[in-house]
Amino acid sequence: MIPVRGMDGAQVAVLGLGRSGLATAASLQAGGAQALCWDDSPEGRAAAEARGHEIRDLTKPGAMAGIDRLVVSPGIPHLYPAPHPVIRAAMAAGVPVDNDIGLFFRSLAGSEWARFEQPPKVVAVTGSNGKSTTTALIHHCLEAAGREAQLAGNIGRGVLDIDPPGDGGIVVLELSSYQTDLARALTPDVAVFTNLSPDHLDRHGGMGGYFAAKRRLFAEGGPDRAVIGIDEAEGLFLAGQLAEAPSDDRVIRVSVTEKLDGAGWNVFARKGFLAEYRKGRQAGSIDLRGIRGLPGRHNHQNACSAYAALRALGLAPREIEAGFLSFEGLPHRSQIIAEARGVTYVNDSKATNVDSAAQALQAFPRIRWIAGGLGKEGGIATLAPHLGAVVKAYLIGHSARDFALQLPGTEHEISETMEQAVAQAMAEAQEGDTVLLAPAAASFDQYPNFEKRGEDFIRIVRGRLGLGAEA
C-alpha cells in the first residue's frame, strides 16, 4: 500500500467504492487522514463497511462542510454529460476534487528514496486502443529482464494498493481518459500515447475534450521521455508541441504507417519488422512476424510503443526482443485460444468498437468472423474497407439484424447466440481459416461485460474441441 502523504488529520470524502475507491480509503487512513466514504449502491457501501471504513451520506445538503478534499472513482462523471450531484456540491463549496491517480503521484516518493542508488520510476500509458496490451508488454519485458516492476492503474492493481517500489523499481500504469482528466498531479518519468480514435465522447463533451484529457498526461506531467504515436493528427500535433527541435530526443515518435528516419528518436514497424532510428541511423530492429503474442498491425503498434518506452528505461534491444518472444498476450485481446485441424481460434472480445474490430480484421488472412452484441452509434458500416479477409460473418445478439443490413457484399448468417455462431463457424471452417470473435459491439445485451463474453467463447470452442475450458 502507498499511504497518502500530506493529508494527516484531513477529512477526505471518497465517492465510489469499487476497487480503486476501497484502496483509496485504506491509503488515506494509512496516511493519517479520515476517509468518509459513499457509494450510490448499497452493495458498495456494505463492502466499505465490511472493511471498517466510515460511511457518510455525501448526497445530503451540507455534506461538504468540513471536507478538505473529494476523491472520485473513475466511472463517475464530473463534467459531461452532467456532474454527479456530490461532485457538483463539492465544486460549489470550493472543495478540491481529485482521484486516486492524483493522490498516487503526490504520495509515491518517500524519504527512503534518498538511500536508493536508482530512484524508482513510473511509466504511464494512455491512448484509445492498445494501451492495456502496451502496458502489460512493458511490464512483462521488465520482469523478463530481471527488473523489479509492478502493474497498476486501469489494469492490475489499484495504484494506491501496490507495494512501495524498491531501489530501481518501476511502476507501469495504464491510465484511461477518465483517470488523466481529473488527476491533480501527473508526473510520470515516461509517458506513452498509443493512438486516438473516437470513444467516451459523451463523457468528454466531444473529440476535443477527449483528446484534451489524454494530453494532460504530457502537458501537466512534463515526463522526461514522451513516446507518441503519430499516425493520427492529434499524436502528430502532440509530438510537435512537446519537442523543442526536430532532433529533440525527449520525444520518441512511433508509427506503423510510415518509415521514420529523421533527426530525432523514432520507432516504426513496416511489413512486420520493427526498426529504431536515432539521429537518422538505425539503432535496433526486431522481426515481429513470428511473435505469437503480438499478431497483426495493431499489435505491432503496441510493440513499437512498448519498445520505445523500454529503450527509454535503458533496456537493450536484445532484452526487449526476448521479452516479446515470451509474451503470451492479454485475455480477450487477439488471444489465440486454440489451433486444431489447421484452424486458429482467436478471442478478441475486447474489440467493442469498430476501430478495434478493424484492427483485428486486418490481422489474419481468412476469417470467419463472429460479431454483434449491443451495437454502438453508427453500427459497422465504416468497417467495409476492412472486410476483405472475411470469408463469412456470424452475427449474434441484439444488433445481429442491424449488422446484417450493413454487410451487403459479405456472406453472413444471423446466428443469434454465441453457441450457435461457434457451432456454425467450426462446421464450415477450412484449413487456413481463423475463427475470430471481434464483436464491434458492447456485450451488455447477453453478457455483463466483455470478459464474460470472451470466456463463453473460449468455453464453447475448447469444449467442442475436447480441450477443456482454460486457454
Side-chain angles (χ1 to χ4, degrees), residues 46-356:
E49 281 188 300
R51 290 164 173 77
H53 299 309
E54 182 178 348
I55 301 298
R56 175 179 292 187
D57 188 347
L58 300 176
T59 66
K60 290 184 175 180
M64 287 297 128
I67 298 295
D68 297 294
R69 186 165 300 221
L70 173 65
V71 180
V72 179
S73 291
I76 302 172
H78 61 275
L79 186 56
Y80 301 112
H84 187 282
V86 171
I87 300 177
R88 182 186 291 276
M91 293 189 294
V95 174
V97 180
D98 204 347
N99 61 15
D100 61 335
I101 304 301
L103 296 182
F104 167 82
F105 277 111
R106 67 176 285 161
S107 305
L108 181 63
S111 57
E112 69 276 8
W113 285 28
R115 302 191 301 270
F116 291 163
E117 291 185 11
Q118 296 183 35
K121 292 186 176 181
V122 177
V123 181
V125 180
T126 196
S128 295
N129 296 308
K131 58 183 179 293
S132 294
T133 297
T134 300
T135 305
L137 183 56
I138 293 169
H139 175 257
H140 172 81
C141 290
L142 287 168
E143 288 200 322
R147 304 284 290 272
E148 177 198 317
Q150 297 184 76
L151 187 66
N154 211 38
I155 186 174
R157 298 161 69 181
V159 290
L160 294 169
D161 193 40
I162 67 171
D163 301 320
D167 194 344
I170 299 171
V171 179
V172 189
L173 304 179
E174 177 193 338
L175 299 182
S176 71
S177 57
Y178 296 174
Q179 293 169 310
T180 58
D181 200 15
L182 198 57
R184 296 175 70 90
L186 286 166
T187 54
D189 298 279
V190 179
V192 180
F193 177 88
T194 58
N195 51 58
L196 197 77
S197 61
D199 207 0
H200 310 304
L201 299 189
D202 60 333
R203 178 67 181 268
H204 296 290
M207 195 67 178
Y210 179 49
F211 175 53
K214 301 286 189 185
R215 182 182 173 275
R216 288 191 76 244
L217 182 62
F218 304 85
E220 304 288 337
D224 295 335
R225 295 269 191 236
V227 176
I228 309 293
I230 63 167
D231 289 335
E232 293 86 30
E234 291 88 352
L236 193 62
F237 172 78
L238 181 58
Q241 279 201 314
L242 296 173
E244 294 293 336
S247 60
D248 188 350
D249 66 1
R250 294 174 302 170
V251 177
I252 308 176
R253 291 170 171 83
V254 167
S255 177
V256 289
T257 64
E258 59 181 307
K259 180 179 181 179
L260 303 177
D261 56 1
W265 193 348
N266 304 293
V267 178
F268 63 91
R270 297 182 71 192
K271 298 181 179 179
F273 288 89
L274 179 152
E276 174 192 6
Y277 273 72
R278 299 187 71 170
K279 302 186 188 312
R281 302 182 64 180
Q282 187 167 335
S285 65
I286 296 176
D287 184 351
L288 301 172
R289 294 173 301 173
I291 297 180
R292 178 184 171 91
L294 296 168
R297 191 176 77 162
H298 61 305
N299 274 311
H300 294 176
Q301 183 182 57
N302 299 335
C304 287
S305 295
Y307 178 96
L310 291 161
R311 290 289 282 143
L313 293 169
L315 267 67
R318 66 180 181 279
E319 293 179 293
I320 300 171
E321 183 174 14
F324 283 6
L325 287 167
S326 60
F327 181 67
E328 296 183 354
L330 287 178
H332 317 299
R333 297 164 175 86
S334 295
Q335 176 191 14
I336 297 175
I337 61 167
E339 293 174 298
R341 296 183 287 276
V343 179
T344 302
Y345 297 86
V346 178
N347 166 30
D348 202 346
S349 183
K350 183 63 168 65
T352 58
N353 58 45
V354 293
D355 294 289
S356 50

